[in-house]
Amino acid sequence: MTNSDGGPYVKVHFRLEVKDNWPPASVESLWAVDQGDGTVQLDNIPWFVRGIACGDVVAVEPDEEDVPWAGEVLRRSENCTIRLIVLREGGTGAARQSVINAFRELGVDGEGIEQFRMVALDVPPTADLAKVQGLLNHGVAKEWWHMEEGCVTAEWRAVSAG
């Protein structure tokens, strides 16, 4: 499988630190585009890995079975990763989709996963961060979702502090 840039897709594995049974796995695998030089560009919104975002370029080290494991982040995409556990309507598929649609109107991509009633958001630097944060905080206040900042930028923090 290749992407539109011609590079092959690979699954890159990240080790996770589990505390109090969360996250629910010790490894998360993300799709990425092999850059051909020992690095990959992530092409997936992470569900559980902290400190990374879609579009980041990461060094990889294959293990003895040639499975690529993530190393350090070499170049940041400047995207933010925000995760929500949807509470409204019990986190149904329709509720998750309505959350994704609301953020899509603000220029934010998202994916939902039924098992944990989650939505993962990929917030690009071109999005209106104040509006995105406003909607996120409104949803938390209304108890529509719980929110976690999985990976945020200095710009995100500056808007939050403002």
mmCIF file of all heavy atoms in Angstrom, residues 1 8 18 35 40 77 103 107 124 129 133 139 141:
data_model
loop_
_atom_site.group_PDB
_atom_site.id
_atom_site.type_symbol
_atom_site.label_atom_id
_atom_site.label_comp_id
_atom_site.label_asym_id
_atom_site.label_seq_id
_atom_site.Cartn_x
_atom_site.Cartn_y
_atom_site.Cartn_z
ATOM 1 N N MET A 1 0.855 -1.171 0.000
ATOM 2 C CA MET A 1 0.000 0.000 0.000
ATOM 3 C C MET A 1 0.901 1.236 0.000
ATOM 4 O O MET A 1 1.859 1.317 0.749
ATOM 5 C CB MET A 1 -0.873 -0.023 1.264
ATOM 6 C CG MET A 1 -1.795 1.151 1.364
ATOM 7 S SD MET A 1 -3.268 0.806 2.306
ATOM 8 C CE MET A 1 -2.843 1.225 3.939
ATOM 9 N N PRO A 8 5.609 4.008 0.725
ATOM 10 C CA PRO A 8 4.837 2.890 1.276
ATOM 11 C C PRO A 8 4.339 3.176 2.691
ATOM 12 O O PRO A 8 5.032 3.821 3.478
ATOM 13 C CB PRO A 8 5.832 1.733 1.279
ATOM 14 C CG PRO A 8 7.171 2.381 1.314
ATOM 15 C CD PRO A 8 7.042 3.722 0.645
ATOM 16 N N VAL A 18 1.321 1.941 30.929
ATOM 17 C CA VAL A 18 -0.025 1.674 31.439
ATOM 18 C C VAL A 18 -0.050 1.952 32.942
ATOM 19 O O VAL A 18 0.767 1.425 33.691
ATOM 20 C CB VAL A 18 -0.443 0.218 31.149
ATOM 21 C CG1 VAL A 18 -1.828 -0.068 31.705
ATOM 22 C CG2 VAL A 18 -0.381 -0.084 29.657
ATOM 23 N N GLN A 35 9.694 7.154 4.933
ATOM 24 C CA GLN A 35 10.446 8.183 4.215
ATOM 25 C C GLN A 35 11.710 7.621 3.552
ATOM 26 O O GLN A 35 12.414 8.343 2.863
ATOM 27 C CB GLN A 35 10.814 9.328 5.168
ATOM 28 C CG GLN A 35 9.615 9.962 5.865
ATOM 29 C CD GLN A 35 8.677 10.659 4.893
ATOM 30 O OE1 GLN A 35 9.015 11.665 4.302
ATOM 31 N NE2 GLN A 35 7.487 10.099 4.726
ATOM 32 N N VAL A 40 9.729 7.926 9.491
ATOM 33 C CA VAL A 40 8.374 7.829 8.950
ATOM 34 C C VAL A 40 7.641 9.117 9.281
ATOM 35 O O VAL A 40 7.978 9.810 10.242
ATOM 36 C CB VAL A 40 7.596 6.628 9.541
ATOM 37 C CG1 VAL A 40 8.259 5.306 9.175
ATOM 38 C CG2 VAL A 40 7.426 6.761 11.047
ATOM 39 N N SER A 77 4.807 18.346 13.292
ATOM 40 C CA SER A 77 3.871 18.812 12.261
ATOM 41 C C SER A 77 3.208 20.121 12.669
ATOM 42 O O SER A 77 2.630 20.792 11.833
ATOM 43 C CB SER A 77 2.775 17.769 12.039
ATOM 44 O OG SER A 77 2.009 17.615 13.225
ATOM 45 N N PHE A 103 -16.514 19.569 14.911
ATOM 46 C CA PHE A 103 -15.122 20.013 14.823
ATOM 47 C C PHE A 103 -14.666 20.140 13.377
ATOM 48 O O PHE A 103 -13.831 20.986 13.060
ATOM 49 C CB PHE A 103 -14.204 19.103 15.644
ATOM 50 C CG PHE A 103 -14.298 19.391 17.112
ATOM 51 C CD1 PHE A 103 -15.116 18.623 17.932
ATOM 52 C CD2 PHE A 103 -13.605 20.454 17.671
ATOM 53 C CE1 PHE A 103 -15.228 18.909 19.283
ATOM 54 C CE2 PHE A 103 -13.715 20.749 19.022
ATOM 55 C CZ PHE A 103 -14.525 19.974 19.832
ATOM 56 N N GLY A 107 -12.399 23.064 10.791
ATOM 57 C CA GLY A 107 -11.168 22.679 10.102
ATOM 58 C C GLY A 107 -10.360 21.614 10.802
ATOM 59 O O GLY A 107 -9.155 21.481 10.582
ATOM 60 N N PRO A 124 -5.047 21.056 13.097
ATOM 61 C CA PRO A 124 -3.922 21.638 12.368
ATOM 62 C C PRO A 124 -3.665 23.073 12.831
ATOM 63 O O PRO A 124 -4.550 23.722 13.400
ATOM 64 C CB PRO A 124 -4.397 21.607 10.912
ATOM 65 C CG PRO A 124 -5.880 21.745 11.009
ATOM 66 C CD PRO A 124 -6.268 21.007 12.274
ATOM 67 N N LEU A 129 -7.726 28.216 16.637
ATOM 68 C CA LEU A 129 -7.505 27.513 17.903
ATOM 69 C C LEU A 129 -8.411 28.031 19.013
ATOM 70 O O LEU A 129 -8.854 27.255 19.863
ATOM 71 C CB LEU A 129 -6.036 27.607 18.321
ATOM 72 C CG LEU A 129 -5.025 26.991 17.337
ATOM 73 C CD1 LEU A 129 -3.610 27.079 17.907
ATOM 74 C CD2 LEU A 129 -5.381 25.561 16.988
ATOM 75 N N GLN A 133 -10.831 25.544 21.000
ATOM 76 C CA GLN A 133 -10.768 25.443 22.458
ATOM 77 C C GLN A 133 -12.085 25.854 23.100
ATOM 78 O O GLN A 133 -12.493 25.263 24.103
ATOM 79 C CB GLN A 133 -9.612 26.281 23.004
ATOM 80 C CG GLN A 133 -8.273 25.681 22.673
ATOM 81 C CD GLN A 133 -7.122 26.469 23.262
ATOM 82 O OE1 GLN A 133 -7.286 27.240 24.201
ATOM 83 N NE2 GLN A 133 -5.940 26.258 22.714
ATOM 84 N N GLY A 139 -18.070 21.837 25.659
ATOM 85 C CA GLY A 139 -18.489 20.441 25.764
ATOM 86 C C GLY A 139 -18.146 19.816 27.101
ATOM 87 O O GLY A 139 -18.917 19.029 27.651
ATOM 88 N N ALA A 141 -17.829 21.576 29.948
ATOM 89 C CA ALA A 141 -18.727 22.227 30.911
ATOM 90 C C ALA A 141 -20.139 21.640 30.849
ATOM 91 O O ALA A 141 -20.792 21.487 31.879
ATOM 92 C CB ALA A 141 -18.766 23.737 30.657
#
